[in-house]
Amino acid sequence: MNQHVNDVKYVGWVMESVPIAVFENYELSSMTLKYRRQCSQSDALQSMCSPTSCTAKLEKEAEVEVNGAGCSYRAGSQTSIPDVAKCVPPHLQFTHLLRLQVDGAEILQGKTQWRLKKSKHLH
């Protein structure tokens, strides 16, 4: 009636910014949202996320990071994309921000935690 957005819509917008590789390899284990202000259905928003704890070590002590493009592998000066099964850490955490596109005003801040899907556990 008042044209404000339902809480379920906020969750959907937060999830839109999570990289596809995360959905393929992880399941959501927790979500915390802090609402800063309301928005209406006509507002244009930006949905952003950033990994906050996403590094793991491979067998040879190489560092692996999960970013928006997937996994990146750093060993010395070489950078490549390894097999995802070798580079996924058991847990990930992302911070999220929804803001108005017109002036950057914060609508919502959030955190999500993800655990590796049972079928993806490394042995």
Side-chain angles (χ1 to χ4, degrees), residues 22 26 29-30 49-55 66 89-96 110-115:
V22 173
Y26 293 86
S29 58
S30 73
C49 86
S50 176
T52 55
S53 62
C54 60
T55 60
V66 176
H91 301 281
L92 296 178
Q93 182 174 328
F94 289 88
T95 57
H96 301 271
K111 286 188 180 184
T112 54
Q113 294 182 336
W114 303 79
R115 64 178 166 250

Side-chain angles (χ1 to χ4, degrees), residues 2-18 31-48 96-100 105-112:
N2 59 13
Q3 300 299 313
H4 289 172
V5 176
N6 182 303
D7 290 347
V8 175
K9 279 286 197 189
Y10 290 113
V11 172
W13 290 330
V14 165
M15 300 303 272
E16 283 179 3
S17 64
V18 176
M31 178 183 281
T32 304
L33 301 176
K34 295 180 182 177
Y35 297 95
R36 299 293 184 204
R37 63 183 285 181
Q38 295 178 338
C39 69
S40 66
Q41 294 180 4
S42 62
D43 290 330
L45 301 179
Q46 292 178 319
S47 178
M48 298 171 283
H96 301 271
L97 176 65
L98 288 179
R99 67 182 184 186
L100 290 175
E106 286 188 11
I107 301 297
L108 174 146
Q109 290 180 351
K111 286 188 180 184
T112 54

Side-chain angles (χ1 to χ4, degrees), residues 23-27 85 88 115-123:
F23 286 106
E24 292 171 349
N25 294 291
Y26 293 86
E27 57 191 14
V88 289
R115 64 178 166 250
L116 195 59
K117 289 181 179 177
K118 298 209 185 304
S119 63
K120 303 287 183 178
H121 280 282
L122 304 178
H123 299 289

